[in-house]
Amino acid sequence: MTATYQVHGNLAVITLDNPPVNGLGLATRQGIVAGLEQALADPAVAAIVLTGAGKAFSGGADIREFSSAKALQEPILISVISALEASTKPVVAAIHSVAMGGGLELALGCHYRIAAPGTTIAMPEVKIGLIPGAGGTQRLPRALGVEPALNLIVSGESVKSDLLAMVPGQKLFDRMASAPEKLMEEAMALAREVAAVRPLPRLRDLPCKHPQDQAYFQFARNMAKGMARHFPAPPKCVDAVEAATKLPFDQGAAKEREIFINLMWTPECRALRHLFSAQRAASKIDDVPSDTPTRSIRRVGVIGAGTMGGGISMNFLNAGIPVVLLETQQEALDRGLATIRKNYEAQVKKGKLKEEKYKERMALLHPTLAYEDFRDVDLVIEAVFEEMGVKEQVFRQLDAIAKPGAILATNTSTLNVDTIAGFTQRPQDVVGLHFFSPANVMKLLEVVRGAKTAKDVLATVMGLAKTIKKTAVVSGVCDGFIGNRMIEQYARQAGFLLDEGCTPQQVDRAIEKFGFAMGPFRMGDLAGNDIGWAIRKRRAIEHPGLRYSKTADLLCEMGRFGQKTGKGWYDYAPGRRDALPSAEVEAMILKHREALGLKPRKISDDEIVQRLVFALVNEGAHILEEGIAAKASDIDMVYITGYGFPIHRGGPMLYADQLGLFNVVQAMKRFATNPHDDASFWQPAPLLQRLAADGKTLN
Ligand code: NAD
């Protein structure tokens, strides 16, 4: 039973008991209704108190029931709320800790509400592309006033109960408890006080008006549309609340339901719900149970104070974890420290960081030139040059000095983590922690699981990722891991598009219109085109048959490395980041096409987008089939958090699912017949072919 029933004198107490946050799953909903029926049938019961056990009143819908038939099984939440509202004995909601979404709607269906101070109140449905769907858009404006209610609903943000209690004329809380620990006692006192009140107050019976309704709703709708960009839900929140002011309650509620159901089927809502679950799923590793013991990480070592080492260190300093930062030369160490200081000072200047906090963080940083200082660290992350010889030297030294049980991590982007682990006598303690640049900003962390990486090491770093506010996704060992291995195919396609007739700006514009934060050529200019150049040179040795457009190499031969050299695929005015089309680059591409004997053709934006995105999808399917990624949603998380893939599309794998894999495979077959593209490139991954043939999806 996930809701309990007790009688105290003339009061019945129904307690939601569905850890962790009393999600309103089927059993809980049944439990509430059963408790209510029992209370109504018992002549000794005069009033009812509804509350939640443990850490919440209720966090809302039970996410474990998402997309399952149980979510739609009676009593659905609307029916539970109707039953409470129709109760002939008063129902008092005793709200504490968290009342969110459906949990808040449940409380709004009660006749009276008393809240503990400090309770988190929110209607977060908009964050998963929905509006509140169990009367929330109709009752909350009646309880709180139209404007504060719409603000809560459209933002999805949480507000403390104490603040809401100060809204003039509010009827959300009849009373605030004097202290959280007094809540039940005071809720029961309230229930006794109101036991004889008739008729019972119901929010549905209250008027709902805004004095300047037309002007206000127009303004609110414009704001919501501006904020929402690709998402339909925010302006729909405005429609639903407006309905509360214009229609009788039941008609308004029907309108809310209609909007809710329509939103549910939008690709944007599906994308947001997918990412919501994907985020949680990413932190779980199939064969590493959640009760796996973890190692305690009190002190961290970082080797190399370059671009990555500095940013990586800041993550730990921000979380209050001391960092020992090692370089081989004083000069490099000083340079690294200066960059860390500069980054923090910029935050202080912008008012994002307090001066004392900055000082506190710097005090946690211990710069050094001596490996000796790593004797007592619990985790070391290496971020030195990307050369196996240098990594070998570093890991042999680490093996000699680090204490037993210390985790030894590498930030390598391309080297084999198992080879690196082999430089030590403790490969079970070695793991890849692949941060993204700038490491203090980017959310993604690829955790690279070596063949011998111990389970408790994985459990520890996954937990640590949360502490430093990263989204960790596990990848197996392969060249490029999940993200860079896929982006390489995308970049190859981008090159072929230039060969066939596109300009860099046309490709960038098309994919940015699709929703990417930045197209491949602007991205190349930002990251440095020389990085890919070096990788291609290495590939030419390892995979001599692999075809690339030569344009990227020609660009580098011209010294056009990107923003850092003032020119790349685009020109840049000194000190500016605006990408200006370059006549020199266009001439280079033209000459290259002539040399190949290619006649340029006009390529549509749709074709550009499909070729770039399906390149990701196909490589993603290989990665999935090889077990490098455990699930398609992990790949989506990598692309959303690390590569600027548009959130409203839910990641490349969900996007392919939504298009239909059959259609994706058909398009690939069509691309394969293009004589200027690479036919072998478009051989659909076997997994994709199988799923397409069976009418199945990747996710
Ligand atoms: P970088 O050249 O900016 O910094 C490397 C630093 O390591 C330099 O300061 C150098 O002095 C120091 N160093 C070299 N050998 C050392 C040694 N033996 N002991 C101690 N310090 C030593 O390089 P980076 O861009 O910070 O890259 C570092 C690592 O991170 C590489 O493995 C790279 O593949 C990986 N990486 C880089 C990025 C990126 O975007 N730059 C992203 C993810 C991962």
Side-chain angles (χ1 to χ4, degrees):
M1 207 46 161
T2 53
T4 60
Y5 179 82
Q6 283 179 323
V7 176
H8 299 271
N10 66 344
L11 298 182
V13 177
I14 302 171
T15 306
L16 313 184
D17 192 5
N18 184 22
V21 292
N22 299 323
L24 296 165
L26 178 61
T28 309
R29 301 194 303 267
Q30 285 167 336
I32 299 170
V33 173
L36 181 67
E37 283 171 357
Q38 211 170 335
L40 292 178
D42 184 347
V45 169
I48 302 151
V49 176
L50 177 70
T51 192
K55 290 193 292 190
F57 173 75
S58 170
D62 192 333
I63 55 169
R64 290 164 292 198
E65 248 180 37
F66 261 24
S67 326
S68 91
K70 275 188 181 174
L72 301 174
Q73 203 173 317
E74 288 284 10
I76 59 169
L77 184 58
I78 294 181
S79 311
V80 177
I81 292 170
S82 297
L84 290 171
E85 199 172 48
S87 163
T88 49
K89 297 178 183 176
V91 184
V92 175
I95 307 165
H96 65 90
S97 311
V98 173
M100 289 222 261
L104 182 56
E105 291 180 298
L106 186 71
L108 292 171
C110 297
H111 304 111
Y112 298 92
R113 282 159 297 280
I114 173 168
T119 302
T120 299
I121 302 290
M123 285 287 192
E125 287 82 352
V126 73
K127 295 193 170 173
I128 50 168
L130 291 170
I131 63 168
T137 64
Q138 306 302 297
R139 290 190 183 88
L140 193 62
R142 287 173 161 86
L144 200 54
V146 171
E147 288 193 29
L150 182 54
N151 287 346
L152 267 182
I153 293 169
V154 86
S155 70
E157 296 298 330
S158 53
V159 179
K160 291 290 175 206
S161 52
D162 319 56
L163 271 181
L164 294 173
M166 289 194 286
V167 172
Q170 66 84 20
K171 296 187 173 56
L172 179 57
F173 306 126
D174 298 277
R175 213 166 274 180
M176 289 297 288
S178 54
E181 59 281 8
K182 293 272 187 194
L183 175 72
M184 275 316 280
E185 185 187 324
E186 293 174 18
M188 287 162 86
L190 173 61
R192 271 185 221 105
E193 267 174 54
V194 299
V197 171
R198 296 294 180 281
L200 286 164
R202 305 184 306 175
L203 285 174
R204 60 153 55 224
D205 300 327
L206 295 182
C208 187
K209 282 272 165 282
H210 189 285
Q212 292 92 29
D213 59 352
Q214 219 172 336
Y216 169 68
F217 284 112
Q218 188 172 346
F219 168 76
R221 198 168 284 112
N222 290 345
M223 287 285 285
K225 274 190 189 147
M227 271 163 37
R229 295 193 51 214
H230 302 293
F231 295 99
K236 293 290 176 193
C237 294
V238 182
D239 292 354
V241 172
E242 187 176 21
T245 67
K246 298 243 158 81
L247 300 173
F249 183 89
D250 286 324
Q251 284 178 34
K255 173 88 183 164
E256 174 194 88
R257 196 76 202 142
E258 179 193 317
I259 295 175
F260 180 89
I261 288 168
N262 285 337
L263 281 174
M264 193 77 161
W265 294 105
T266 58
E268 293 83 0
C269 175
R270 198 158 157 223
L272 290 174
R273 283 186 291 135
H274 168 67
L275 295 174
F276 181 82
S277 318
Q279 172 100 38
R280 277 155 186 77
S283 63
K284 300 194 173 75
I285 311 172
D286 263 358
D287 62 337
V288 181
S290 56
D291 58 356
T292 304
T294 55
R295 304 184 189 182
S296 95
I297 307 291
R298 288 194 212 93
R299 208 171 160 77
V300 171
V302 175
I303 312 182
T307 311
M308 295 308 288
I312 293 170
S313 301
M314 287 175 73
N315 287 304
F316 294 99
L317 300 176
N318 296 350
I321 300 173
V323 173
V324 183
L325 178 60
L326 179 138
E327 269 283 349
T328 45
Q329 307 285 332
Q330 187 63 44
E331 213 191 331
L333 193 55
D334 291 344
R335 223 180 306 124
L337 287 178
T339 309
I340 295 178
R341 278 203 198 93
K342 204 177 82 201
N343 281 335
Y344 277 137
E345 277 159 17
Q347 290 179 22
V348 172
K349 235 188 205 153
K350 285 187 202 147
K352 287 186 179 164
L353 181 69
K354 293 221 169 77
E355 184 78 30
E356 327 76 92
K357 278 263 174 227
Y358 163 39
K359 290 204 176 115
E360 268 170 48
R361 289 178 190 180
M362 288 309 289
L364 292 172
L365 182 61
H366 174 73
T368 185
L369 297 174
Y371 268 85
E372 275 299 309
D373 291 347
F374 281 154
R375 277 200 188 283
D376 62 346
V377 297
D378 306 297
L379 160 72
V380 189
I381 303 172
E382 158 284 305
V384 302
F385 299 139
E386 187 74 337
E387 285 167 32
M388 200 51 113
V390 186
K391 306 280 189 201
E392 173 167 6
Q393 201 192 353
V394 166
F395 273 80
R396 289 201 190 284
Q397 266 167 296
L398 272 181
D399 196 23
I401 209 101
K403 66 183 183 188
I407 297 175
L408 311 181
T410 171
N411 182 46
T412 182
S413 304
T414 53
L415 301 175
N416 187 308
V417 174
D418 290 329
T419 311
I420 294 176
F423 300 139
T424 72
Q425 302 299 311
R426 37 175 136 175
Q428 74 282 1
D429 295 338
V430 177
V431 66
L433 290 181
H434 186 222
F435 288 84
F436 286 71
S437 181
N440 52 318
V441 176
M442 294 294 289
K443 281 270 158 266
L444 178 61
L445 175 65
E446 279 180 325
V447 170
V448 185
R449 178 179 193 167
K452 296 191 176 148
T453 307
K455 290 185 182 178
D456 66 336
V457 168
L458 284 169
T460 305
V461 297
M462 294 306 278
L464 191 63
K466 276 194 193 142
T467 310
I468 61 170
K469 302 199 170 86
K470 299 287 175 198
T471 299
V473 177
V474 177
S475 168
V477 175
C478 71
D479 196 346
F481 314 127
I482 298 172
N484 284 344
R485 178 170 154 183
M486 285 165 67
I487 209 75
E488 196 188 330
Q489 303 309 324
Y490 167 95
R492 280 179 72 203
Q493 262 312 309
F496 295 148
L497 284 164
L498 295 189
D499 290 354
E500 282 178 50
C502 289
T503 59
Q505 46 275 24
Q506 189 196 349
V507 175
D508 282 350
R509 223 182 301 120
I511 198 81
E512 286 165 16
K513 215 163 77 196
F514 173 78
F516 261 88
M518 214 183 267
F521 298 108
R522 285 214 295 144
M523 178 67 104
D525 279 0
L526 181 69
N529 297 308
D530 49 324
I531 298 177
W533 196 24
I535 294 175
R536 284 191 300 280
K537 283 182 194 160
R538 203 189 74 211
R539 286 275 151 68
I541 302 167
E542 289 169 11
H543 310 281
L546 204 59
R547 193 156 80 77
Y548 291 94
S549 162
K550 288 274 180 302
T551 48
D553 294 347
L554 294 171
L555 186 84
C556 290
E557 284 165 20
M558 292 157 81
R560 302 188 67 112
F561 290 167
Q563 288 188 18
K564 62 185 168 189
T565 54
K567 51 189 187 167
W569 292 107
Y570 296 92
D571 290 337
Y572 297 88
R576 307 278 312 225
R577 284 163 177 261
D578 315 66
L580 310 169
S582 160
E584 196 180 56
V585 170
E586 273 174 45
M588 175 272 284
I589 296 172
L590 219 74
K591 205 166 138 210
H592 170 64
R593 263 186 223 134
E594 278 168 11
L596 287 178
L598 277 177
K599 247 178 81 168
R601 74 179 169 94
K602 197 167 161 12
I603 300 177
S604 70
D605 284 3
D606 277 352
E607 181 177 338
I608 294 172
V609 168
Q610 288 199 349
R611 284 172 59 177
L612 293 182
V613 176
F614 295 171
L616 294 176
V617 172
N618 207 27
E619 196 61 24
H622 282 296
I623 283 175
L624 205 52
E625 190 151 39
E626 290 166 26
I628 297 295
K631 39 201 179 296
S633 64
D634 282 354
I635 297 176
D636 287 335
M637 278 322 287
V638 166
Y639 264 77
I640 294 286
T641 55
Y643 292 83
F645 197 94
I647 294 173
H648 67 286
R649 312 245 186 221
M653 310 312 261
L654 186 84
Y655 179 68
D657 282 343
Q658 298 225 59
L659 283 181
L661 297 185
F662 180 83
N663 299 321
V664 173
V665 168
Q666 287 301 308
M668 289 181 178
K669 287 182 179 163
R670 206 166 54 242
F671 297 148
T673 62
N674 170 359
H676 306 307
D677 203 334
D678 184 331
S680 64
F681 187 107
W682 289 116
Q683 177 64 32
L687 174 69
L688 214 50
Q689 294 192 41
R690 276 200 311 278
L691 293 174
D694 296 348
K696 291 191 174 149
T697 54
L698 289 156
N699 271 292

